[in-house]
Amino acid sequence: MGRYITTTGTAGVTTRTVSGNYSAAVNDRLLVDTAGGAYTVTLPANASLLVDDTIQIIDIANNAATNNITVDRNGSEINNAADNLTIDVSGAIVTLIYSGSTYGWIIGAV
């Protein structure tokens, strides 16, 4: 199992407000403020990842349709594709779960 602590509540999660490009860490819950523009969130490098590592991205400004959030895959696949993820739905909440080197990050919830 990964580093995500499976208890009731938010144990193990670090909530951060982001209003610019950001390099994510395992168990980050990112409140991305897209009011000021489009931003890129870079996922951790796959060499440091464990299965079940999790990152959540939340568009708190409800502007992702206008100011997209790009999720840079940083060498890992996202949903078994070698493409970055673009979050372009205002108010979106996206949870990414690392499934291992075969499929990379999977979208667990939108």
Side-chain angles (χ1 to χ4, degrees), residues 11-38:
V13 173
T14 303
T15 301
R16 304 175 194 280
T17 301
V18 176
S19 57
N21 295 335
Y22 180 76
S23 292
V26 171
N27 292 336
D28 269 352
R29 175 178 289 144
L30 304 176
L31 307 176
V32 182
D33 184 352
T34 54

Side-chain angles (χ1 to χ4, degrees), residues 17 20-21 50-51 62 64 72 86 93 102:
T17 301
N21 295 335
L50 299 175
V51 172
N62 292 313
D72 184 327
T86 300
I93 300 172
T102 302

